[in-house]
Coordinates of all heavy atoms in Angstrom, one line a residue:
E150 N -78.9 -61.9 -78.4 CA -79.8 -62.0 -77.3 C -79.8 -60.8 -76.4 O -80.3 -60.8 -75.3 CB -79.6 -63.3 -76.5 CG -79.9 -64.5 -77.3 CD -79.8 -65.8 -76.4 OE1 -79.8 -65.7 -75.1 OE2 -79.6 -66.9 -77.0
S151 N -79.1 -59.8 -76.8 CA -79.0 -58.5 -76.0 C -79.0 -57.3 -76.9 O -79.0 -57.4 -78.1 CB -77.7 -58.6 -75.2 OG -77.7 -57.4 -74.5
G152 N -79.1 -56.2 -76.3 CA -79.0 -54.9 -77.0 C -77.7 -54.3 -76.9 O -76.8 -54.8 -76.3
F153 N -77.6 -53.2 -77.6 CA -76.3 -52.5 -77.7 C -75.8 -52.0 -76.3 O -74.6 -51.7 -76.1 CB -76.3 -51.3 -78.6 CG -77.2 -50.2 -78.2 CD1 -76.7 -49.1 -77.6 CD2 -78.6 -50.2 -78.4 CE1 -77.5 -48.1 -77.2 CE2 -79.4 -49.2 -78.1 CZ -78.8 -48.1 -77.4
M154 N -76.7 -51.8 -75.3 CA -76.3 -51.4 -74.0 C -75.5 -52.3 -73.2 O -75.0 -52.0 -72.1 CB -77.5 -50.8 -73.2 CG -78.0 -49.6 -73.7 SD -79.3 -48.8 -72.7 CE -80.8 -49.7 -73.3
Q155 N -75.3 -53.5 -73.7 CA -74.5 -54.6 -73.1 C -73.2 -54.8 -73.9 O -72.4 -55.7 -73.8 CB -75.2 -55.9 -72.9 CG -76.2 -56.0 -71.8 CD -75.5 -55.8 -70.5 OE1 -74.6 -56.6 -70.1 NE2 -75.8 -54.8 -69.7
S156 N -72.8 -53.8 -74.8 CA -71.7 -53.8 -75.6 C -70.5 -53.0 -75.1 O -70.7 -52.1 -74.3 CB -72.0 -53.4 -77.1 OG -72.2 -52.0 -77.1
L157 N -69.3 -53.3 -75.5 CA -68.2 -52.6 -75.1 C -68.1 -51.2 -75.7 O -67.6 -50.2 -75.1 CB -66.8 -53.3 -75.5 CG -66.6 -54.7 -74.8 CD1 -65.4 -55.4 -75.4 CD2 -66.4 -54.4 -73.3
Y158 N -68.8 -51.1 -76.9 CA -68.9 -49.7 -77.5 C -69.8 -48.8 -76.6 O -69.4 -47.7 -76.4 CB -69.6 -49.8 -78.9 CG -68.7 -50.6 -79.9 CD1 -69.1 -51.9 -80.2 CD2 -67.6 -50.1 -80.3 CE1 -68.3 -52.6 -81.1 CE2 -66.8 -50.8 -81.3 CZ -67.2 -52.1 -81.7 OH -66.4 -52.8 -82.5
W159 N -70.9 -49.3 -76.1 CA -71.7 -48.5 -75.2 C -71.0 -48.2 -73.9 O -71.1 -47.1 -73.3 CB -73.0 -49.2 -74.9 CG -74.0 -48.4 -74.2 CD1 -74.4 -48.6 -72.9 CD2 -74.7 -47.3 -74.7 NE1 -75.4 -47.6 -72.6 CE2 -75.6 -46.9 -73.7 CE3 -74.8 -46.6 -75.9 CZ2 -76.4 -45.7 -73.8 CZ3 -75.6 -45.5 -76.0 CH2 -76.4 -45.1 -75.0
A160 N -70.2 -49.2 -73.3 CA -69.5 -48.9 -72.1 C -68.4 -47.8 -72.3 O -68.3 -46.9 -71.5 CB -68.7 -50.2 -71.7
R161 N -67.8 -47.7 -73.5 CA -66.8 -46.7 -73.8 C -67.6 -45.3 -73.8 O -67.1 -44.3 -73.3 CB -66.1 -46.9 -75.1 CG -65.0 -47.8 -75.0 CD -64.2 -47.9 -76.3 NE -63.9 -49.3 -76.6 CZ -64.2 -50.0 -77.6 NH1 -64.8 -49.4 -78.6 NH2 -63.8 -51.2 -77.7
F162 N -68.7 -45.3 -74.4 CA -69.6 -44.1 -74.4 C -70.0 -43.6 -73.0 O -69.9 -42.5 -72.6 CB -70.8 -44.3 -75.3 CG -71.8 -43.2 -75.3 CD1 -71.5 -42.0 -76.0 CD2 -73.0 -43.3 -74.7 CE1 -72.4 -40.9 -76.0 CE2 -73.9 -42.3 -74.7 CZ -73.6 -41.1 -75.3
K163 N -70.4 -44.6 -72.2 CA -70.8 -44.2 -70.9 C -69.7 -43.8 -70.0 O -69.8 -42.9 -69.2 CB -71.5 -45.5 -70.2 CG -72.8 -45.9 -70.9 CD -73.7 -44.7 -71.2 CE -74.7 -44.4 -70.1 NZ -75.6 -43.3 -70.5
R164 N -68.4 -44.3 -70.2 CA -67.2 -43.8 -69.5 C -67.0 -42.4 -69.8 O -66.7 -41.6 -69.0 CB -66.1 -44.7 -69.8 CG -65.9 -46.0 -69.1 CD -64.6 -46.6 -69.2 NE -64.7 -48.0 -68.8 CZ -64.9 -49.0 -69.6 NH1 -64.9 -48.9 -70.9 NH2 -65.0 -50.2 -69.1
K165 N -67.2 -42.0 -71.1 CA -66.9 -40.6 -71.5 C -67.9 -39.7 -70.9 O -67.7 -38.5 -70.7 CB -67.0 -40.5 -73.1 CG -65.8 -41.1 -73.7 CD -65.9 -41.0 -75.2 CE -64.7 -41.7 -75.9 NZ -64.8 -41.5 -77.4
Q166 N -69.1 -40.3 -70.5 CA -70.2 -39.5 -69.8 C -69.9 -39.4 -68.3 O -70.6 -38.8 -67.6 CB -71.5 -40.1 -70.0 CG -72.1 -39.9 -71.4 CD -73.5 -40.4 -71.5 OE1 -73.8 -41.4 -71.0 NE2 -74.3 -39.6 -72.2
G167 N -68.8 -40.1 -67.8 CA -68.5 -40.0 -66.5 C -69.0 -41.2 -65.6 O -68.9 -41.1 -64.4
L168 N -69.5 -42.2 -66.2 CA -70.0 -43.3 -65.4 C -68.9 -44.4 -65.2 O -68.0 -44.5 -66.0 CB -71.1 -44.1 -66.1 CG -72.5 -43.3 -66.2 CD1 -73.5 -44.1 -67.0 CD2 -73.0 -42.9 -64.9
Q169 N -69.0 -45.1 -64.1 CA -68.2 -46.3 -63.9 C -68.8 -47.4 -64.7 O -70.0 -47.6 -64.7 CB -68.1 -46.6 -62.4 CG -67.5 -45.6 -61.5 CD -67.6 -46.1 -60.0 OE1 -66.7 -46.9 -59.7 NE2 -68.6 -45.8 -59.3
C170 N -67.9 -48.2 -65.3 CA -68.4 -49.4 -66.1 C -67.7 -50.6 -65.5 O -66.4 -50.6 -65.4 CB -68.1 -49.2 -67.5 SG -68.9 -47.8 -68.2
F171 N -68.4 -51.7 -65.3 CA -67.9 -53.0 -64.8 C -68.3 -54.0 -65.8 O -69.5 -54.1 -66.2 CB -68.5 -53.2 -63.4 CG -68.3 -52.2 -62.4 CD1 -69.3 -51.2 -62.2 CD2 -67.1 -52.0 -61.8 CE1 -69.1 -50.2 -61.3 CE2 -66.9 -51.0 -60.9 CZ -67.9 -50.1 -60.6
H172 N -67.3 -54.8 -66.2 CA -67.6 -55.9 -67.2 C -67.4 -57.2 -66.4 O -66.3 -57.6 -66.0 CB -66.5 -55.7 -68.3 CG -66.7 -56.7 -69.4 ND1 -65.7 -56.9 -70.3 CD2 -67.7 -57.5 -69.8 CE1 -66.1 -57.9 -71.1 NE2 -67.3 -58.2 -70.8
L173 N -68.5 -58.0 -66.3 CA -68.4 -59.2 -65.7 C -68.6 -60.4 -66.7 O -69.5 -60.2 -67.6 CB -69.5 -59.4 -64.6 CG -69.6 -58.4 -63.5 CD1 -70.7 -58.6 -62.6 CD2 -68.3 -58.3 -62.8
E174 N -67.8 -61.4 -66.7 CA -67.9 -62.5 -67.6 C -68.1 -63.8 -66.9 O -67.6 -64.0 -65.8 CB -66.5 -62.6 -68.4 CG -66.2 -61.4 -69.3 CD -64.9 -61.7 -70.0 OE1 -64.2 -62.6 -69.8 OE2 -64.6 -60.8 -70.9
A175 N -68.8 -64.7 -67.5 CA -69.0 -66.0 -67.1 C -68.4 -67.0 -68.2 O -68.8 -66.8 -69.4 CB -70.4 -66.4 -66.8
R176 N -67.4 -67.7 -67.9 CA -66.8 -68.6 -68.9 C -66.9 -70.1 -68.5 O -66.8 -70.4 -67.3 CB -65.3 -68.3 -69.1 CG -65.2 -66.9 -69.7 CD -63.7 -66.5 -70.1 NE -63.6 -65.3 -70.8 CZ -63.6 -65.2 -72.1 NH1 -63.8 -66.3 -72.8 NH2 -63.5 -64.0 -72.7
Q177 N -67.0 -70.9 -69.5 CA -67.0 -72.4 -69.2 C -66.0 -73.0 -70.3 O -66.3 -72.8 -71.5 CB -68.4 -72.9 -69.4 CG -68.5 -74.4 -69.0 CD -70.0 -74.8 -69.1 OE1 -70.6 -74.7 -70.1 NE2 -70.4 -75.4 -68.1
D178 N -65.0 -73.7 -69.8 CA -64.0 -74.3 -70.7 C -63.4 -73.2 -71.6 O -63.2 -73.4 -72.8 CB -64.6 -75.4 -71.5 CG -65.1 -76.5 -70.6 OD1 -64.5 -76.8 -69.6 OD2 -66.2 -77.1 -71.0
G179 N -63.2 -72.0 -71.1 CA -62.6 -70.9 -71.8 C -63.5 -70.2 -72.8 O -63.1 -69.2 -73.3
K180 N -64.7 -70.6 -72.8 CA -65.8 -70.0 -73.8 C -66.6 -69.1 -73.0 O -67.2 -69.5 -71.9 CB -66.5 -71.1 -74.5 CG -67.5 -70.6 -75.4 CD -68.4 -71.7 -76.0 CE -69.4 -71.1 -77.0 NZ -70.3 -72.1 -77.4
L181 N -66.9 -67.8 -73.5 CA -67.8 -66.9 -72.9 C -69.2 -67.4 -73.0 O -69.6 -67.7 -74.1 CB -67.6 -65.5 -73.6 CG -68.5 -64.4 -73.0 CD1 -68.0 -64.1 -71.6 CD2 -68.3 -63.2 -73.9
I182 N -69.9 -67.6 -71.9 CA -71.3 -68.1 -71.9 C -72.2 -67.2 -71.3 O -73.4 -67.4 -71.3 CB -71.4 -69.5 -71.2 CG1 -70.9 -69.5 -69.8 CG2 -70.5 -70.5 -72.0 CD1 -71.3 -70.7 -69.0
G183 N -71.8 -66.1 -70.7 CA -72.6 -65.2 -70.1 C -71.9 -64.0 -69.5 O -70.7 -64.0 -69.4
G184 N -72.7 -63.1 -68.9 CA -72.1 -62.0 -68.2 C -72.9 -60.7 -68.2 O -74.1 -60.8 -68.5
A185 N -72.3 -59.6 -67.8 CA -73.1 -58.4 -67.7 C -72.2 -57.2 -67.8 O -71.0 -57.2 -67.3 CB -73.9 -58.3 -66.5
M186 N -72.7 -56.1 -68.4 CA -72.1 -54.8 -68.3 C -72.8 -54.0 -67.3 O -74.1 -53.9 -67.4 CB -72.1 -54.1 -69.7 CG -71.2 -54.7 -70.7 SD -69.4 -54.7 -70.4 CE -69.1 -52.9 -70.5
L187 N -72.2 -53.5 -66.3 CA -72.9 -52.7 -65.3 C -72.4 -51.3 -65.2 O -71.2 -51.1 -65.5 CB -72.7 -53.4 -63.9 CG -73.2 -54.8 -63.8 CD1 -72.2 -55.7 -63.2 CD2 -74.5 -54.8 -63.0
Y188 N -73.3 -50.4 -64.9 CA -72.9 -49.0 -64.9 C -73.4 -48.3 -63.5 O -74.4 -48.7 -63.0 CB -73.6 -48.3 -66.0 CG -73.3 -48.9 -67.4 CD1 -74.3 -49.7 -67.9 CD2 -72.2 -48.6 -68.1 CE1 -74.0 -50.3 -69.1 CE2 -71.9 -49.1 -69.3 CZ -72.9 -50.1 -69.8 OH -72.6 -50.7 -71.0
A189 N -72.6 -47.4 -63.1 CA -72.9 -46.6 -61.8 C -72.2 -45.3 -62.0 O -71.2 -45.1 -62.6 CB -72.3 -47.4 -60.6
P190 N -72.8 -44.3 -61.3 CA -72.3 -42.9 -61.4 C -70.9 -43.0 -60.7 O -70.6 -43.8 -59.8 CB -73.2 -42.1 -60.5 CG -74.5 -42.8 -60.6 CD -74.2 -44.2 -60.7
A191 N -70.0 -42.1 -61.1 CA -68.6 -42.1 -60.6 C -68.5 -41.5 -59.2 O -67.4 -41.6 -58.6 CB -67.7 -41.4 -61.6
D192 N -69.5 -40.8 -58.7 CA -69.4 -40.2 -57.4 C -69.7 -41.1 -56.3 O -70.9 -41.4 -56.1 CB -70.3 -38.9 -57.4 CG -70.3 -38.1 -56.1 OD1 -69.4 -38.5 -55.3 OD2 -71.0 -37.2 -56.0
E193 N -68.7 -41.7 -55.7 CA -69.0 -42.7 -54.7 C -69.5 -42.1 -53.3 O -69.9 -42.8 -52.4 CB -67.7 -43.5 -54.4 CG -67.2 -44.4 -55.5 CD -66.2 -43.6 -56.4 OE1 -65.7 -42.5 -56.0 OE2 -65.9 -44.1 -57.5
K194 N -69.5 -40.8 -53.3 CA -70.0 -40.1 -52.0 C -71.5 -40.1 -51.9 O -72.0 -40.0 -50.8 CB -69.4 -38.7 -52.0 CG -68.0 -38.6 -51.9 CD -67.5 -37.2 -51.9 CE -65.9 -37.2 -52.0 NZ -65.4 -35.9 -52.3
R195 N -72.2 -40.4 -53.0 CA -73.7 -40.4 -52.9 C -74.1 -41.8 -53.2 O -73.5 -42.5 -54.0 CB -74.2 -39.5 -54.0 CG -73.9 -38.0 -53.8 CD -74.5 -37.1 -54.8 NE -75.6 -37.7 -55.6 CZ -75.8 -37.4 -56.9 NH1 -75.1 -36.5 -57.4 NH2 -76.8 -38.0 -57.5
S196 N -75.2 -42.2 -52.6 CA -75.8 -43.5 -52.9 C -76.3 -43.5 -54.4 O -76.9 -42.5 -54.8 CB -77.0 -43.8 -52.0 OG -76.5 -43.9 -50.7
S197 N -76.2 -44.6 -55.0 CA -76.6 -44.7 -56.4 C -77.1 -46.1 -56.7 O -77.2 -47.0 -55.8 CB -75.4 -44.4 -57.4 OG -74.4 -45.4 -57.1
V198 N -77.4 -46.4 -57.9 CA -77.9 -47.6 -58.4 C -76.9 -48.3 -59.4 O -76.4 -47.6 -60.3 CB -79.3 -47.5 -59.1 CG1 -79.8 -48.9 -59.5 CG2 -80.3 -46.9 -58.1
L199 N -76.6 -49.6 -59.2 CA -75.8 -50.3 -60.1 C -76.8 -50.9 -61.1 O -77.7 -51.6 -60.8 CB -75.0 -51.4 -59.4 CG -73.9 -52.1 -60.0 CD1 -72.8 -51.2 -60.5 CD2 -73.3 -53.2 -59.1
I200 N -76.5 -50.5 -62.4 CA -77.6 -50.9 -63.4 C -76.9 -51.8 -64.6 O -75.8 -51.5 -65.0 CB -78.1 -49.6 -64.1 CG1 -78.7 -48.7 -63.1 CG2 -79.2 -50.0 -65.2 CD1 -79.1 -47.4 -63.6
A201 N -77.7 -52.8 -65.0 CA -77.3 -53.6 -66.1 C -78.4 -53.6 -67.1 O -79.3 -54.4 -67.2 CB -77.1 -55.1 -65.6
P202 N -78.4 -52.5 -68.0 CA -79.5 -52.3 -68.9 C -79.3 -53.4 -70.0 O -78.2 -53.8 -70.5 CB -79.2 -51.0 -69.6 CG -77.7 -50.7 -69.3 CD -77.4 -51.4 -68.0
E203 N -80.5 -54.1 -70.3 CA -80.5 -55.2 -71.3 C -79.6 -56.3 -70.9 O -79.2 -57.1 -71.7 CB -80.1 -54.7 -72.7 CG -81.1 -53.6 -73.2 CD -80.7 -53.1 -74.5 OE1 -79.5 -53.3 -75.0 OE2 -81.6 -52.6 -75.2
G204 N -79.4 -56.5 -69.6 CA -78.6 -57.6 -69.1 C -79.0 -58.0 -67.7 O -79.9 -57.4 -67.1
P205 N -78.5 -59.1 -67.3 CA -77.3 -59.8 -67.8 C -77.7 -60.8 -68.9 O -78.9 -61.0 -69.2 CB -76.9 -60.7 -66.6 CG -78.1 -60.9 -65.8 CD -78.9 -59.6 -66.0
L206 N -76.6 -61.2 -69.6 CA -76.8 -62.2 -70.7 C -76.5 -63.5 -70.1 O -75.4 -63.7 -69.5 CB -75.8 -61.9 -71.8 CG -75.9 -60.5 -72.5 CD1 -74.7 -60.2 -73.3 CD2 -77.2 -60.5 -73.3
L207 N -77.4 -64.4 -70.2 CA -77.2 -65.8 -69.7 C -77.7 -66.8 -70.7 O -78.5 -66.5 -71.6 CB -78.0 -65.9 -68.3 CG -77.6 -65.0 -67.2 CD1 -78.5 -65.2 -66.0 CD2 -76.2 -65.2 -66.8
P208 N -77.2 -68.1 -70.6 CA -77.7 -69.1 -71.4 C -79.2 -69.5 -71.0 O -79.3 -70.6 -70.4 CB -76.7 -70.2 -71.3 CG -76.2 -70.0 -69.9 CD -76.1 -68.5 -69.6
W209 N -80.2 -68.7 -71.3 CA -81.5 -68.9 -70.8 C -82.1 -70.2 -71.1 O -82.9 -70.8 -70.4 CB -82.4 -67.8 -71.3 CG -82.0 -66.4 -70.9 CD1 -81.5 -65.4 -71.7 CD2 -81.9 -65.8 -69.6 NE1 -81.2 -64.3 -71.0 CE2 -81.4 -64.5 -69.7 CE3 -82.2 -66.4 -68.3 CZ2 -81.2 -63.7 -68.5 CZ3 -82.0 -65.6 -67.2 CH2 -81.5 -64.3 -67.4
H210 N -81.6 -70.9 -72.2 CA -82.1 -72.2 -72.6 C -81.7 -73.3 -71.6 O -82.3 -74.3 -71.6 CB -81.6 -72.6 -74.0 CG -80.0 -72.6 -74.1 ND1 -79.2 -71.5 -74.2 CD2 -79.2 -73.7 -74.0 CE1 -78.0 -71.9 -74.2 NE2 -77.9 -73.2 -74.0
N211 N -80.7 -73.0 -70.7 CA -80.2 -73.9 -69.7 C -80.6 -73.3 -68.3 O -79.8 -72.5 -67.8 CB -78.8 -74.2 -69.9 CG -78.3 -75.2 -68.9 OD1 -78.8 -75.4 -67.8 ND2 -77.2 -76.0 -69.4
Q212 N -81.7 -73.6 -67.8 CA -82.1 -73.0 -66.5 C -81.2 -73.2 -65.4 O -80.9 -72.3 -64.6 CB -83.5 -73.5 -66.1 CG -84.1 -72.8 -64.9 CD -85.5 -73.2 -64.5 OE1 -86.2 -74.0 -65.3 NE2 -86.0 -72.9 -63.4
K213 N -80.7 -74.4 -65.2 CA -79.8 -74.7 -64.1 C -78.5 -73.9 -64.2 O -78.1 -73.2 -63.3 CB -79.4 -76.2 -64.1 CG -78.5 -76.6 -62.9 CD -78.4 -78.1 -62.9 CE -77.6 -78.6 -61.7 NZ -76.3 -78.2 -61.6
L214 N -77.9 -73.9 -65.4 CA -76.7 -73.1 -65.6 C -76.9 -71.6 -65.4 O -76.2 -70.9 -64.8 CB -76.1 -73.4 -67.0 CG -74.8 -72.7 -67.3 CD1 -73.7 -73.1 -66.3 CD2 -74.3 -73.1 -68.7
S215 N -78.1 -71.1 -66.0 CA -78.4 -69.7 -65.8 C -78.6 -69.3 -64.3 O -78.1 -68.2 -63.9 CB -79.7 -69.4 -66.5 OG -79.5 -69.4 -67.9
E216 N -79.2 -70.2 -63.6 CA -79.3 -69.9 -62.1 C -78.0 -69.9 -61.4 O -77.7 -69.0 -60.6 CB -80.2 -70.9 -61.5 CG -81.7 -70.8 -61.8 CD -82.5 -71.9 -61.3 OE1 -82.0 -72.9 -60.6 OE2 -83.7 -71.9 -61.6
E217 N -77.1 -70.8 -61.7 CA -75.7 -70.8 -61.2 C -74.9 -69.5 -61.5 O -74.4 -68.9 -60.7 CB -75.0 -72.0 -61.6 CG -75.5 -73.3 -61.1 CD -74.8 -74.6 -61.7 OE1 -73.8 -74.4 -62.5 OE2 -75.3 -75.7 -61.5
I218 N -75.0 -69.2 -62.8 CA -74.3 -68.0 -63.2 C -74.9 -66.7 -62.5 O -74.2 -65.8 -62.1 CB -74.3 -67.8 -64.7 CG1 -73.5 -69.0 -65.4 CG2 -73.7 -66.4 -65.1 CD1 -73.6 -69.0 -66.9
M219 N -76.2 -66.7 -62.4 CA -76.9 -65.5 -61.8 C -76.4 -65.4 -60.4 O -76.2 -64.3 -59.9 CB -78.4 -65.6 -61.9 CG -79.1 -64.5 -61.3 SD -78.8 -62.9 -62.0 CE -79.9 -62.9 -63.4
Q220 N -76.3 -66.4 -59.6 CA -75.8 -66.4 -58.2 C -74.5 -65.8 -58.2 O -74.2 -65.0 -57.3 CB -76.0 -67.8 -57.6 CG -77.4 -68.2 -57.4 CD -78.2 -67.3 -56.5 OE1 -77.7 -66.8 -55.5 NE2 -79.4 -66.9 -57.0
L221 N -73.6 -66.3 -59.1 CA -72.2 -65.7 -59.1 C -72.2 -64.3 -59.4 O -71.5 -63.5 -58.8 CB -71.4 -66.5 -60.1 CG -71.1 -68.0 -59.8 CD1 -70.4 -68.7 -61.0 CD2 -70.2 -68.1 -58.5
L222 N -73.0 -63.9 -60.4 CA -73.1 -62.4 -60.7 C -73.6 -61.7 -59.6 O -73.1 -60.5 -59.3 CB -74.0 -62.2 -62.0 CG -73.4 -62.7 -63.3 CD1 -74.5 -62.6 -64.4 CD2 -72.2 -62.0 -63.7
L223 N -74.6 -62.1 -58.9 CA -75.2 -61.4 -57.7 C -74.1 -61.2 -56.6 O -74.0 -60.1 -56.0 CB -76.4 -62.0 -57.2 CG -77.6 -62.0 -58.1 CD1 -78.7 -62.8 -57.5 CD2 -78.0 -60.5 -58.3
K224 N -73.3 -62.2 -56.4 CA -72.3 -62.1 -55.4 C -71.2 -61.0 -55.8 O -70.8 -60.2 -54.9 CB -71.5 -63.5 -55.2 CG -72.4 -64.4 -54.4 CD -71.6 -65.7 -54.2 CE -72.4 -66.8 -53.4 NZ -71.8 -68.0 -53.3
K225 N -70.9 -61.1 -57.0 CA -69.9 -60.1 -57.5 C -70.5 -58.7 -57.5 O -69.8 -57.7 -57.2 CB -69.5 -60.4 -58.9 CG -68.4 -59.5 -59.4 CD -67.1 -59.6 -58.6 CE -66.0 -58.7 -59.2 NZ -64.8 -58.7 -58.3
C226 N -71.8 -58.5 -57.8 CA -72.5 -57.3 -57.8 C -72.6 -56.7 -56.4 O -72.4 -55.5 -56.2 CB -73.9 -57.4 -58.3 SG -74.0 -57.5 -60.1
E227 N -72.7 -57.6 -55.4 CA -72.6 -57.1 -54.0 C -71.3 -56.4 -53.6 O -71.2 -55.3 -53.1 CB -72.9 -58.2 -53.0 CG -74.3 -58.7 -52.9 CD -74.5 -59.8 -52.0 OE1 -73.7 -59.9 -51.0 OE2 -75.4 -60.6 -52.1
Q228 N -70.2 -57.0 -54.2 CA -68.9 -56.4 -53.9 C -68.7 -55.1 -54.7 O -68.2 -54.1 -54.2 CB -67.8 -57.4 -54.4 CG -67.7 -58.7 -53.6 CD -66.8 -59.7 -54.3 OE1 -66.3 -59.5 -55.3 NE2 -66.7 -60.9 -53.6
L229 N -69.2 -55.1 -56.0 CA -69.1 -53.9 -56.8 C -70.0 -52.7 -56.2 O -69.5 -51.6 -56.2 CB -69.6 -54.2 -58.2 CG -68.7 -55.1 -59.0 CD1 -69.3 -55.3 -60.4 CD2 -67.3 -54.4 -59.3
A230 N -71.1 -53.1 -55.7 CA -72.0 -52.1 -55.1 C -71.3 -51.4 -54.0 O -71.5 -50.2 -53.8 CB -73.3 -52.8 -54.7
E231 N -70.7 -52.1 -53.1 CA -70.0 -51.6 -52.0 C -68.9 -50.5 -52.5 O -68.8 -49.4 -52.0 CB -69.3 -52.6 -51.1 CG -68.8 -52.1 -49.8 CD -68.3 -53.2 -48.9 OE1 -68.9 -54.3 -48.9 OE2 -67.4 -52.9 -48.2
S232 N -68.1 -51.0 -53.4 CA -67.0 -50.1 -53.9 C -67.5 -49.0 -54.7 O -66.9 -47.9 -54.7 CB -66.0 -50.9 -54.7 OG -66.5 -51.4 -55.9
A233 N -68.6 -49.1 -55.4 CA -69.2 -48.1 -56.2 C -70.2 -47.1 -55.5 O -70.7 -46.2 -56.0 CB -70.0 -48.6 -57.4
G234 N -70.5 -47.5 -54.2 CA -71.4 -46.7 -53.4 C -72.8 -46.9 -53.8 O -73.7 -46.0 -53.6
A235 N -73.1 -48.0 -54.4 CA -74.5 -48.3 -54.9 C -75.3 -49.0 -53.8 O -74.8 -49.9 -53.0 CB -74.5 -49.2 -56.1
M236 N -76.5 -48.6 -53.6 CA -77.4 -49.1 -52.6 C -78.3 -50.2 -53.2 O -79.0 -50.9 -52.4 CB -78.2 -48.1 -51.9 CG -79.2 -47.4 -52.8 SD -80.1 -46.1 -51.8 CE -81.2 -45.6 -53.1
S237 N -78.4 -50.3 -54.5 CA -79.3 -51.3 -55.1 C -78.8 -51.7 -56.5 O -77.9 -51.1 -57.0 CB -80.7 -50.8 -55.2 OG -80.8 -49.7 -56.0
L238 N -79.4 -52.8 -57.0 CA -79.0 -53.3 -58.3 C -80.3 -53.3 -59.1 O -81.3 -53.8 -58.7 CB -78.4 -54.7 -58.2 CG -78.3 -55.5 -59.4 CD1 -77.2 -54.9 -60.3 CD2 -77.9 -57.0 -59.1
R239 N -80.2 -52.9 -60.4 CA -81.3 -53.0 -61.3 C -80.8 -53.8 -62.5 O -79.8 -53.5 -63.2 CB -81.9 -51.7 -61.7 CG -83.1 -51.8 -62.6 CD -83.7 -50.5 -62.9 NE -83.0 -50.0 -64.1 CZ -83.0 -48.7 -64.5 NH1 -83.5 -47.8 -63.7 NH2 -82.4 -48.3 -65.6
I240 N -81.5 -54.9 -62.8 CA -81.2 -55.7 -64.0 C -82.4 -55.6 -64.9 O -83.5 -55.5 -64.5 CB -80.8 -57.1 -63.7 CG1 -81.9 -57.9 -63.0 CG2 -79.5 -57.2 -62.9 CD1 -81.6 -59.4 -62.8
E241 N -82.1 -55.7 -66.2 CA -83.1 -55.7 -67.3 C -82.9 -56.7 -68.4 O -82.6 -56.4 -69.5 CB -83.2 -54.3 -67.9 CG -83.4 -53.1 -66.9 CD -83.2 -51.8 -67.5 OE1 -82.5 -51.7 -68.5 OE2 -83.5 -50.8 -66.9
P242 N -82.8 -58.0 -68.0 CA -82.5 -59.0 -68.9 C -83.5 -59.1 -70.1 O -84.7 -58.9 -69.9 CB -82.5 -60.3 -68.1 CG -83.3 -60.0 -67.0 CD -83.2 -58.6 -66.7
R243 N -83.0 -59.4 -71.3 CA -83.9 -59.6 -72.4 C -84.2 -61.1 -72.4 O -83.4 -61.9 -72.9 CB -83.2 -59.3 -73.6 CG -83.2 -57.8 -74.0 CD -82.7 -57.6 -75.4 NE -83.1 -56.3 -75.9 CZ -82.8 -55.8 -77.0 NH1 -82.3 -56.6 -78.0 NH2 -83.1 -54.7 -77.4
L244 N -85.3 -61.4 -71.8 CA -85.7 -62.8 -71.7 C -86.5 -63.2 -72.9 O -87.3 -62.4 -73.5 CB -86.5 -63.1 -70.4 CG -85.7 -62.9 -69.2 CD1 -86.6 -62.9 -67.9 CD2 -84.6 -63.9 -69.0
P245 N -86.5 -64.5 -73.3 CA -87.3 -64.9 -74.4 C -88.8 -64.9 -74.1 O -89.1 -65.0 -72.8 CB -86.9 -66.4 -74.7 CG -85.9 -66.7 -73.6 CD -85.6 -65.5 -72.8
E246 N -89.7 -64.7 -75.0 CA -91.1 -64.6 -74.8 C -91.5 -66.0 -74.2 O -91.0 -67.0 -74.7 CB -91.8 -64.4 -76.0 CG -91.6 -62.9 -76.5 CD -92.3 -61.9 -75.7 OE1 -93.4 -62.1 -75.1 OE2 -91.7 -60.9 -75.5
P247 N -92.4 -66.0 -73.3 CA -92.9 -67.3 -72.8 C -93.7 -68.1 -73.8 O -94.3 -67.4 -74.7 CB -93.8 -66.9 -71.6 CG -93.9 -65.5 -71.5 CD -93.0 -64.9 -72.6
A248 N -93.6 -69.4 -73.8 CA -94.3 -70.2 -74.7 C -95.8 -70.1 -74.6 O -96.3 -69.9 -73.5 CB -93.9 -71.7 -74.7

C-alpha cells in the first residue's frame, strides 16, 4: 500500500544525500500496523519541511484506528519538527481510490 519512498532502502539513500530520516512505527499487540518514514534537510539552522513521501502508511480499511494512529503520528511530528528545524509537515499518503 505504499511506494519505495517509505522503505528503509530509500531512507539509507536519503541519508547518504545528507537528509535526516525519521522512522515512526505504530504497533498493536507487537505487530506493525502503520507508520511513516519522514525526511528533512540536515541543516537545522534554516527552516525546512518535514516530508513523508508516499506516507504515512495506515490501516485505511479501519477508519477509527487510522484516525487514532494519525493523531499519534502528528504529535510525534510536532516534536520532530522542532528538533529538525521544520516549520511544516507534508504528507502524501497513498489512499485507496474512492468507491
Side-chain angles (χ1 to χ4, degrees):
E150 294 182 20
S151 178
F153 69 96
M154 288 188 276
Q155 283 293 302
S156 70
L157 293 174
Y158 297 106
W159 188 250
R161 280 188 219 123
F162 174 71
K163 297 313 269 183
R164 276 191 198 101
K165 288 180 182 180
Q166 289 185 319
L168 293 179
Q169 298 179 82
C170 301
F171 305 97
H172 183 197
L173 304 180
E174 294 181 355
R176 293 186 174 270
Q177 185 176 53
D178 300 322
K180 182 181 175 189
L181 183 65
I182 60 168
M186 294 295 294
L187 298 134
Y188 306 97
D192 185 2
E193 295 93 8
K194 295 175 185 169
R195 295 181 18 210
S196 293
S197 64
V198 177
L199 193 59
I200 303 170
E203 300 180 337
L206 301 167
L207 298 176
W209 300 113
H210 61 279
N211 185 331
Q212 183 177 350
K213 184 177 186 292
L214 184 57
S215 291
E216 288 173 2
E217 290 173 7
I218 295 171
M219 180 60 85
Q220 289 304 313
L221 293 171
L222 289 174
L223 289 174
K224 284 182 185 179
K225 186 63 179 174
C226 286
E227 284 181 26
Q228 296 168 358
L229 290 175
E231 187 174 329
S232 68
M236 63 179 185
S237 62
L238 168 68
R239 186 175 87 203
I240 60 172
E241 302 169 344
R243 279 191 166 184
L244 297 171
E246 292 291 323

